[in-house]
Amino acid sequence: MTTKDKAADPRHDELMTKMEETRKKWLAEEEEEGQDDTDRLLQEAINMAVSQGRGWAPGEKEEYMAKILDDDFIPPIFAENQEELEASGLAEAFSSLHYDDSPSVVALEFKKKGTDSFLNGKRNEAKNVQYFRDAVNHYYDAFAWAQKIEPLEHRQQNQKTETKPDETKMDKKEKEPTHDDAPEYTEKELDEFKSTIMGNAALAHMNLKNWGHVRDDSKKALDFNKENVKAWYRLAKAYQMLQCWEEAGDAIDSGLGVPNEAQNKDLLKLQKLLAEKIRKARVARQKREKRRAERVSKVKKLWKHCKEQSFQLGRVPLVGSVGDDDEDADDVAESRWHHHHPHTGQLPEPVSGASDWVWPCLFLYPSHSQSDFVKQFAESEMLAMRLAEIFPVVDGESNENSIPWDYDNEFQCDKLAIYFEINCPSEESIEKTKSGKPIVHPESVERLVDQGSTMRFYESSRALKGDEGPEMANLVTAVERKRLYQQRKIWKKKHGSLWHLPDPLDVVRVHPAMTLKGILSDPRMVVANFLVTLVVIPENHPVHEAYLKEHKCVGVLQPDEIA
């Protein structure tokens, strides 16, 4: 409101008169009381001015004060990103503070500002990077306004469809500003305009050495115009600096494939520079694909074999923490089943020229804190025969074996108790949420119910080992952490804490005369991580008694002829 408008407004005169009368009254009171009550007088003056000027609606002031005292409230002027600005509820209001000009005019203005800032940065002898940062911001603003431009074809189509405009639409059109001088774009021209803007943003980022942004902005430029050869070059350059050699080669090839650009000097120079690295990267990728195809074939054969023989497979989490900042991350081993362990990462496989299969097998000896890994344990092989190979007798009279850590000569085949743990309860006894998700402790074994889940589990484990490169390892880590987080959340909701552990696993004792196939065929046996695990303890060792106190033995598995 200007000074002239205020003078013409009778409410303004009335307000000033009341404020002057009140001021004189307060001065008189102050002289009588002889004390300074400035804060009270100021607050009352503000309240009267606000009430007279209708600044607050009833209760509005209290509501606003409660809002700004809320820890989650961020004043829009202090918002650091788009998400915070939208949370303030004033994103639309702030965007409306821009120009009344056509979006095409505003976009061109911002594009010119970006170009001016970029050229100032190139001319600046002090290498002030702020020029390039300003250029990036101006180009982003130009792109945002370019997104609001309506292509000429769309506008013409809309005009054709509006055969009977109603009065409301006509009123709206009369109120909308006209932009007769604003440039118009066809859809193709608009895409080229957007591509140029994002290509310029990528160029500004190149001067800032923000190679990730160069890659992303160049890709966006190419989304609008595949023939933007400058964007192809900048994308290839970004991949070079990010050491993504094969992707750089693909970008160079695509750029040289643009019409009339087969002899582009910049692209040919970059191609010659990176030729050997690109070749090696492509060869390495072909080898990875070949190994992956072989693994896929192996997993399919294994799943088919397990279905035919009624064998059960299981999995456990491949990570031990849900984030890098997990409070227990430093003390948590990623997983005892992880493929980083030297004896894991192998799949069961068929014996060439025979119908038999061999499995990796782990023998645990809790009495001596030792273990043995057998790379190939045939399904037709008897357990006693394998144990005899592991613990051979070197002196027939004393039954001494050659195991250096078995000081008391306790590991003799006829004096050993063999168990397998029941990793998974029966399907009927598993608790489930209302949505049908099983409630299991995050470190428990889960059945692999189909070929797809088996394939994903094995490929994830190989990716975590590094077979597919660091980016895929990071992606799989994120997926596994999300899965672990969901398991933890479900368990905590049911039991209150992760410290509430499930009961120790029940066990089944295995007769030494059992074959591996007989063990795998038992419906209580679930092979976790494709690794058959058996616990072996000397019969008369104190650890055996303690083990049975902790783990309930629910049965004995023995051949039919012995039973």
Side-chain angles (χ1 to χ4, degrees):
M1 182 180 291
T2 64
T3 306
K4 184 177 180 180
D5 294 335
K6 289 180 180 177
D9 189 351
R11 293 179 302 171
H12 176 264
D13 297 336
E14 182 183 355
L15 175 61
M16 296 303 296
T17 302
K18 286 187 176 181
M19 290 185 68
E20 179 62 23
E21 293 176 354
T22 305
R23 186 182 69 82
K24 292 179 180 180
K25 177 182 178 183
W26 287 342
L27 287 175
E29 293 177 355
E30 194 173 343
E31 291 177 358
E32 294 178 2
E33 296 176 3
Q35 58 183 4
D36 184 13
D37 200 6
T38 306
D39 291 341
R40 179 184 63 81
L41 299 178
L42 179 60
Q43 183 62 46
E44 291 184 6
I46 292 173
N47 290 339
M48 186 180 72
V50 168
S51 62
Q52 292 293 329
R54 300 178 182 177
W56 299 104
E60 187 176 1
K61 178 182 176 182
E62 291 75 10
E63 182 181 350
Y64 178 76
M65 292 300 295
K67 182 178 180 181
I68 63 174
L69 293 176
D70 187 357
D71 292 337
D72 295 330
F73 174 71
I74 301 176
I77 195 172
F78 297 112
E80 296 182 356
N81 51 52
Q82 184 65 24
E83 183 178 352
E84 291 183 355
L85 181 60
E86 292 176 354
S88 71
L90 292 176
E92 184 177 353
F94 269 68
S95 64
S96 66
L97 294 177
H98 263 297
Y99 307 87
D100 291 331
D101 294 326
S102 165
S104 57
V105 173
V106 181
L108 286 171
E109 290 179 0
F110 275 120
K111 180 176 179 291
K112 183 179 182 302
K113 289 181 180 179
T115 302
D116 292 342
S117 295
F118 179 82
L119 293 177
N120 287 335
K122 298 296 287 187
R123 287 191 292 263
N124 185 260
E125 296 180 359
K127 305 293 185 183
N128 189 349
V129 297
Q130 188 59 45
Y131 286 116
F132 297 117
R133 291 173 180 164
D134 291 342
V136 168
N137 291 331
H138 290 319
Y139 285 134
Y140 284 169
D141 286 336
F143 180 77
W145 280 96
Q147 291 283 70
K148 301 177 181 180
I149 300 174
E150 185 179 14
L152 189 59
E153 298 95 328
H154 295 186
R155 186 178 304 172
Q156 293 173 347
Q157 183 65 28
N158 293 336
Q159 290 175 353
K160 290 180 181 179
T161 55
E162 291 181 359
T163 56
K164 295 181 179 180
D166 56 19
E167 185 177 351
T168 305
K169 291 182 178 179
M170 293 181 66
D171 292 343
K172 182 178 181 182
K173 288 182 179 179
E174 291 175 0
K175 294 177 182 179
E176 288 179 351
T178 59
H179 308 287
D180 296 333
D181 298 334
E184 295 183 336
Y185 298 89
T186 64
E187 189 166 3
K188 182 179 179 181
E189 290 172 342
L190 183 58
D191 286 344
E192 291 176 354
F193 181 55
K194 294 176 182 177
S195 180
T196 301
I197 293 174
M198 294 312 299
N200 291 351
L203 180 60
H205 276 302
M206 285 182 68
N207 286 270
L208 295 169
K209 301 187 186 308
N210 295 335
W211 299 110
H213 288 292
V214 176
R215 175 198 59 200
D216 297 340
D217 288 350
S218 297
K219 284 183 176 180
K220 190 172 290 186
L222 292 166
D223 287 340
F224 293 103
N225 182 11
K226 295 295 184 184
E227 295 185 358
N228 188 339
V229 69
K230 292 182 179 179
W232 282 118
Y233 172 77
R234 291 161 191 161
L235 179 61
K237 192 67 179 177
Y239 278 131
Q240 175 198 3
M241 303 309 295
L242 295 171
Q243 298 187 5
C244 300
W245 311 117
E246 188 173 9
E247 290 84 350
D250 294 340
I252 292 172
D253 293 343
S254 298
L256 293 174
V258 174
N260 303 321
E261 295 293 344
Q263 300 302 318
N264 185 283
K265 294 181 179 180
D266 292 332
L267 287 172
L268 289 175
K269 181 180 178 180
L270 190 60
Q271 186 183 52
K272 183 178 179 180
L273 177 66
L274 303 179
E276 184 61 20
K277 292 180 178 179
I278 293 172
R279 186 192 67 80
K280 289 182 178 179
R282 286 173 174 168
V283 170
R285 188 254 308 158
Q286 292 170 357
K287 289 182 178 179
R288 289 197 305 271
E289 290 178 350
K290 181 180 178 181
R291 290 195 297 267
R292 188 186 306 120
E294 292 173 349
R295 293 198 304 267
V296 168
S297 177
K298 287 181 179 180
V299 173
K300 286 183 177 180
K301 290 180 180 178
L302 172 62
W303 180 257
K304 181 179 179 181
H305 175 68
C306 290
K307 292 296 289 182
E308 291 174 349
Q309 302 296 328
S310 298
F311 299 162
Q312 298 184 87
L313 301 174
R315 64 156 294 169
V316 296
L318 293 172
V319 295
S321 59
V322 297
D324 294 330
D325 56 348
D326 195 315
E327 59 182 7
D328 298 326
D330 295 336
D331 303 324
V332 175
E334 280 301 288
S335 174
R336 55 177 176 158
W337 301 106
H338 198 283
H339 278 75
H340 289 169
H341 288 251
H343 55 261
T344 57
Q346 297 179 349
L347 284 173
E349 55 188 21
V351 179
S352 179
S355 60
D356 207 4
W357 279 62
V358 292
W359 290 67
C361 185
L362 180 65
F363 291 94
L364 299 177
Y365 314 130
S367 59
H368 290 69
S369 300
Q370 299 288 336
S371 65
D372 275 315
F373 173 67
V374 178
K375 185 176 180 179
Q376 295 183 333
F377 194 157
E379 291 179 0
S380 60
E381 189 175 358
M382 189 180 295
L383 187 56
M385 300 300 294
R386 178 60 69 172
L387 290 175
E389 293 180 5
I390 297 175
F391 307 112
V393 176
V394 296
D395 187 340
E397 295 182 0
S398 60
N399 285 331
E400 292 185 1
N401 59 41
S402 59
I403 309 302
W405 43 262
D406 184 16
Y407 304 112
D408 297 328
N409 225 27
E410 295 175 293
F411 279 80
Q412 300 177 19
C413 292
D414 57 343
K415 298 179 181 179
L416 297 175
I418 308 164
Y419 299 93
F420 72 78
E421 297 179 347
I422 304 176
N423 292 314
C424 296
S426 62
E427 288 292 337
E428 296 77 15
S429 60
I430 295 179
E431 291 185 279
K432 295 184 178 181
T433 62
K434 293 181 179 179
S435 60
K437 294 182 179 180
I439 304 175
V440 296
H441 192 269
E443 295 183 4
S444 299
V445 176
E446 289 186 77
R447 284 185 178 86
L448 293 170
V449 296
D450 52 42
Q451 180 178 285
S453 59
T454 306
M455 188 82 67
R456 286 190 295 272
F457 170 66
Y458 189 70
E459 283 301 301
S460 296
S461 65
R462 301 310 302 177
L464 284 177
K465 189 178 180 183
D467 289 357
E468 302 297 326
E471 289 188 2
M472 185 58 69
N474 292 335
L475 175 61
V476 171
T477 299
V479 172
E480 285 293 318
R481 282 178 171 174
K482 180 179 179 181
R483 182 178 182 278
L484 179 63
Y485 171 77
Q486 291 174 343
Q487 284 184 315
R488 287 184 174 185
K489 185 177 180 181
I490 293 173
W491 184 265
K492 285 181 179 179
K493 186 175 181 180
K494 174 66 177 179
H495 298 283
S497 171
L498 289 176
W499 292 104
H500 187 283
L501 300 177
D503 295 332
L505 300 177
D506 295 338
V507 297
V508 175
R509 183 159 182 173
V510 182
H511 195 281
M514 288 294 299
T515 63
L516 179 59
K517 182 176 181 180
I519 298 173
L520 297 175
S521 299
D522 190 283
R524 296 166 292 186
M525 179 64 170
V526 177
V527 182
N529 205 36
F530 314 106
L531 180 67
V532 180
T533 304
L534 299 173
V535 179
V536 182
I537 311 174
E539 187 75 51
N540 298 321
H541 198 283
V543 170
H544 186 206
E545 182 179 355
Y547 183 80
L548 291 179
K549 285 183 179 179
E550 184 177 4
H551 302 272
K552 180 182 178 182
C553 182
V554 296
V556 178
L557 185 61
Q558 56 188 358
D560 295 336
E561 54 270 21
I562 296 178

